[in-house]
Amino acid sequence: MSVLRITGGRELRGEVRVHGAKNSVLPIIAASLLANGETVIHNCPKLSDVEAAIKILRHLGCRAERRDREVAVDSRGLSRLDIPHGLMREMRSSVIFLGALLARGGEASLSLPGGCELGPRPIDLHLGALRALGAKITEEGGSIICRAARLRGRRVNLSFPSVGATENAMLAASLAEGTTIVTNAAREPEIWDLQCYLRALGVNAYGAGTPTVVVEGTRISADVSHSVIPDRIVAATYLAAAAATRSKVELSGVIPAHLATVVGTLREMGCEIRAERETLYIESDGNLRAVRPVITEPYPGFPTDAQPQLMAAALRAKGTTAFVENIFENRYRHAEEMRRLGADIKIEGRVAMVTGTDKLTGAPVTATDLRGGAALAVAALGAEGVTEISGLHHIDRGYDGLEDTLRALGAEIRRA
Ligand code: EPZ
């Protein structure tokens, strides 16, 4: 089993080009089922979650080929409408295929996606949205079966602005008869990126980025190409790594507006950050100070996916910083591993109180989940001595070349 071996204390200098967004690629891969033609996705990162989604497309009878950071999908060959247990286990966010399969094939079934490291991951909002559009949904032998001869455009109100449920509703609505209005929709940039892709297919979809998304159902048969937006969470991860060390780092190919809350918090911690069109410059002397509570909320609030990485930066900040995790029930598992490095973190329910210590000491730790694992790498960069991180399969789900990028910035890191 390989580990990341990091010797902390190095300065980070140089430029990072941030790769495409995992959470844009995955719903767009699902949406390519609607195209009934060839889709080429550019700026597509090499991630195990993307490979899992490609495996699902092939299982469904579509052609899907990767050429470096381009993925070509031809969904004319769609011949199955089920996602088996094994593929669901590999990637629980495969639930995002439900709406497109149902819309294209009139039926969709998937094995119930179990919980994950972040706690139970219910899909009630997804199923409620599909029912509103006319789907009949039954549960048989651990699988969810959705059927709808014809979906009808309707008003779909989400009781919580779920990213995945918003995406499933948009995809099902794309082939429905009439217009769908999704209210209390998620406003994440990845929703806007998905809307761009749907519009390229010829779907009249608008409102993404606001709480009301409108999709006028239509027939689709189109060949399109689409370049996904940069990954704002990967960018946040590199910013946190720069903050936790002495650094002068330039992130290129980013959309600074997508990182406003993360940049605001890091500036409060004492980092110098300058934003230009597609570039963020960050300078840090590694001496950070505690900040007002970091409270995770749906976009445009502070992103839950950057909470672990910002906690890693706060581990040596003078004073105490409170984190409040409002999105997931169990998203502090990285704290236990950070304590092994000497971190002072007290957790009470949704609140984690992080009191900066003047030094962290390297130790063997285990990644608990995707962003928690990346956060351990950030903490290790600011620790004295050697940290070995195991459980790399978590990190490989969402980071394309994390260690190569950090090593290019001067970090002493390698996969052993
Ligand atoms: C997406 O997950 C992202 N994943 C997550 O990123 C991200 O953390 C999350 O949005 C929030 O921003 C992808 O886009 C592939 P939600 P998703 O539905 O769609 C509850 C990462 O690290 N909920 O907005 O699953 C749910 O339990 C991953 O890249 C219901 O109760 O997130 C959670 O507490 C982690 N019922 C909350 O809503 C539902 O039907 C947010 O979930 C759906 C969700």
Side-chain angles (χ1 to χ4, degrees):
M1 173 188 67
S2 53
V3 296
L4 278 186
R5 185 169 292 132
I6 298 171
T7 305
R10 296 286 183 289
E11 297 194 358
L12 300 187
R13 289 270 184 291
E15 181 192 331
V16 177
R17 182 152 194 82
V18 173
H19 61 66
K22 165 176 85 78
N23 293 349
S24 258
V25 168
L26 296 179
I28 288 173
I29 282 185
S32 69
L33 292 172
L34 301 170
N36 190 20
E38 169 146 306
T39 291
V40 179
I41 302 171
H42 300 277
N43 196 26
C44 185
K46 290 185 176 175
L47 305 170
S48 55
D49 267 7
V50 174
E51 295 317 305
I54 289 172
K55 243 162 105 180
I56 289 173
L57 285 178
R58 290 180 180 145
H59 160 81
L60 296 171
C62 302
R63 195 176 53 73
E65 304 302 329
R66 171 188 280 282
R67 291 184 294 267
D68 190 33
R69 283 179 176 74
E70 249 183 40
V71 167
V73 178
D74 185 338
S75 60
R76 277 170 293 201
L78 179 66
S79 57
R80 298 186 60 146
L81 300 169
D82 71 307
I83 299 184
H85 188 67
L87 290 175
M88 275 305 291
R89 297 275 321 150
E90 211 172 314
M91 188 179 69
R92 61 154 308 285
S93 47
S94 311
V95 65
I96 190 58
F97 282 89
L98 212 47
L101 278 176
L102 180 64
R104 178 82 191 277
E107 182 176 314
S109 69
L110 52 78
S111 142
L112 264 171
C116 76
E117 311 82 8
L118 307 181
R121 300 289 290 271
I123 60 170
D124 55 310
L125 298 172
H126 297 248
L127 303 182
L130 298 180
R131 274 197 197 91
L133 299 176
K136 296 282 173 279
I137 301 176
T138 56
E139 225 179 284
E140 291 159 33
S143 283
I144 292 266
I145 320 250
C146 303
R147 292 184 182 89
R150 192 89 174 90
L151 291 167
R152 301 206 183 306
R154 284 286 183 282
R155 200 176 183 78
V156 174
N157 178 59
L158 296 177
S159 56
F160 176 84
S162 153
V163 172
T166 301
E167 292 165 344
N168 253 329
M170 289 168 71
L171 298 189
S174 295
L175 299 185
E177 208 160 295
T179 298
T180 295
I181 300 174
V182 184
T183 56
N184 197 27
R187 299 163 57 188
E188 273 70 1
E190 293 76 26
I191 304 284
W192 178 81
D193 207 14
L194 178 62
Q195 175 179 280
C196 289
Y197 173 75
L198 292 176
R199 293 178 66 85
L201 288 182
V203 178
N204 189 9
Y206 49 94
T210 77
T212 304
V213 174
V214 181
V215 177
E216 293 173 13
T218 182
R219 296 212 167 293
I220 301 172
S221 177
D223 296 339
V224 296
S225 77
H226 178 86
S227 184
V228 298
I229 57 172
D231 194 311
R232 60 195 168 97
I233 304 303
V234 167
T237 307
Y238 290 126
L239 288 175
T245 56
R246 278 181 310 289
S247 65
K248 284 184 184 170
V249 171
E250 170 186 320
L251 297 190
S252 60
V254 296
I255 301 176
H258 291 171
L259 283 146
T261 51
V262 171
V263 167
T265 300
L266 289 172
R267 279 180 175 144
E268 254 187 82
M269 280 187 175
C271 298
E272 292 285 317
I273 303 180
R274 265 193 355 267
E276 282 172 20
R277 242 169 48 76
E278 292 188 349
T279 305
L280 281 169
Y281 297 86
I282 179 168
E283 276 194 52
S284 168
D285 61 6
N287 300 317
L288 303 176
R289 53 181 178 269
V291 292
R292 280 173 298 153
V294 178
I295 302 169
T296 67
E297 291 164 324
Y299 195 89
F302 191 94
T304 174
D305 291 351
Q307 172 260 105
Q309 301 89 311
L310 267 284
M311 184 180 287
L315 296 182
R316 290 191 305 134
K318 285 178 190 48
T320 298
T321 299
F323 287 79
V324 184
E325 174 51 58
N326 289 314
I327 306 296
F328 287 105
E329 279 169 28
N330 185 22
R331 196 166 205 169
Y332 286 135
R333 297 179 62 213
H334 47 278
E336 195 50 48
E337 297 302 307
M338 290 173 174
R339 288 192 187 103
R340 294 170 52 79
L341 304 176
D344 177 352
I345 306 172
K346 292 182 181 51
I347 292 172
E348 187 69 39
R350 290 189 174 280
V351 179
M353 302 301 282
V354 178
T355 301
T357 54
D358 56 8
K359 84 181 173 90
L360 297 170
T361 313
V365 292
T366 304
T368 52
D369 54 80
L370 165 54
R371 305 303 173 183
L376 291 174
V378 171
L381 291 170
E384 285 181 18
V386 178
T387 297
E388 285 198 350
I389 304 175
S390 54
L392 298 189
H393 61 285
H394 289 296
I395 297 177
D396 293 341
R397 285 187 44 219
Y399 289 85
D400 181 350
L402 177 72
E403 65 267 28
D404 303 336
T405 303
L406 290 172
R407 187 165 47 247
L409 290 174
E412 190 170 337
I413 179 173
R414 66 188 186 79
R415 188 173 291 232

